[in-house]
């Protein structure tokens, strides 16, 4: 199970019409890490856009009771590249929270593992068909490829696989119960 401290750090990224687009997580009192393609989807711009988007991002904290919609601004932008080279990391965005975070929210400090392959994890998402209800999925990390992308595998034949609707969500390692990256 994802620890409550990590659950409380999870952020839903919303479109201009308040539709769910993807997730992110608070990494300090004012900054959220997510995927560039999530931000692109929220703003209606192509994720591969080289220029950092300047529009405000709408977001909320789904595990915080009575969480209000907040806004943030993109301050770091590495769009996905179709042919990223080995060792290069892409598809990352950092959002600056433009107001104070909710009191019950605690940031998470990701654990940079030297080797992710073989680590079992749990993650969280809002896949299509489940409405506004979050679901959890388990998996195992595989090898890292170009662009820093990591192959993941489902651990079970039953249950929910990681799919569209999980983008930007933290992967919590079973061994450390910390966010892995």
């Amino acid at each position: 199970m994802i620890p409550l401290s990590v659950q409380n750090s999870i952020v839903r990224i919303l479109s201009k019409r308040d539709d769910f687009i993807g997730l992110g997580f608070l990494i300090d009192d004012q900054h959220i890490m997510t995927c560039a393609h999530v931000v692109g989807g929220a703003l209606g711009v192509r994720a591969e856009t080289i220029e950092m988007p300047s529009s405000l991002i709408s977001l909320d904290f789904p595990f915080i009771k009575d969480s209000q919609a907040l806004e943030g601004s993109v301050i770091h932008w590495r769009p996905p590249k179709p042919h990223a080279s080995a060792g290069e990391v892409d598809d990352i965005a950092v959002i600056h929270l433009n107001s104070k975070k909710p009191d019950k929210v605690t940031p998470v400090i990701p654990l940079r593992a030297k080797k992710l392959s073989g680590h079992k994890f749990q993650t969280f998402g809002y896949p299509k068909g489940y409405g506004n209800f979050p679901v959890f999925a388990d998996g195992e990390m595989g090898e890292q490829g170009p662009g820093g992308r990591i192959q993941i595998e489902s651990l079970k034949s039953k249950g929910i696989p990681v799919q569209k609707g999980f983008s930007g969500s933290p992967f919590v390692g079973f061994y450390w119960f910390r966010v892995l990256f």
Side-chain angles (χ1 to χ4, degrees):
M1 183 70 170
I2 294 178
L4 187 59
S5 61
V6 175
Q7 288 181 28
N8 288 347
S9 77
I10 293 174
V11 174
R12 282 190 304 185
I13 311 290
L14 307 168
S15 73
K16 293 174 185 177
R17 296 185 326 218
D18 287 335
D19 294 326
F20 168 76
I21 302 297
L23 298 155
F25 55 98
L26 195 69
I27 56 173
D28 66 27
D29 283 345
Q30 292 296 127
H31 297 100
I32 297 159
M33 183 178 280
T34 188
C35 300
H37 76 267
V38 169
V39 170
L43 297 176
V45 299
R46 291 178 45 112
E48 299 84 17
T49 301
I50 300 299
E51 291 181 23
M52 185 165 55
S54 60
S55 299
L56 293 176
I57 305 287
S58 181
L59 51 94
D60 68 10
F61 289 86
F63 284 103
I64 302 300
K65 187 177 180 186
D66 301 324
S67 173
Q68 302 294 314
L70 303 171
E71 290 184 331
S73 304
V74 180
I75 60 165
H76 182 78
W77 181 254
R78 282 198 178 166
K81 296 179 179 178
H83 305 290
S85 57
E88 187 176 17
V89 178
D90 67 353
D91 197 16
I92 293 176
V94 176
I95 299 168
H96 175 80
L97 192 56
N98 291 346
S99 58
K100 187 177 179 271
K101 69 175 182 57
D103 290 335
K104 295 179 183 172
V105 173
T106 53
V108 295
I109 300 170
L111 176 66
R112 178 93 175 165
K114 289 183 180 179
K115 183 176 186 248
L116 292 171
S117 180
H119 286 289
K120 292 176 176 43
F121 68 87
Q122 187 172 61
T123 192
F124 159 89
Y126 288 90
K128 259 194 181 351
Y130 289 87
N132 210 21
F133 297 100
V135 297
F136 293 87
D138 300 334
E140 184 174 320
M141 294 187 176
E143 296 300 323
Q144 187 171 1
R149 294 187 185 106
I150 299 165
Q151 178 68 38
I152 57 172
E153 300 292 333
S154 179
L155 288 178
K156 1 179 199 176
S157 59
K158 295 181 181 178
I160 313 266
V162 176
Q163 58 189 288
K164 187 175 182 176
F166 286 81
S167 290
S169 186
F171 283 25
V172 178
F174 284 158
Y175 182 73
W176 294 287
F177 294 101
R178 296 262 313 269
V179 174
L180 300 172
F181 84 106

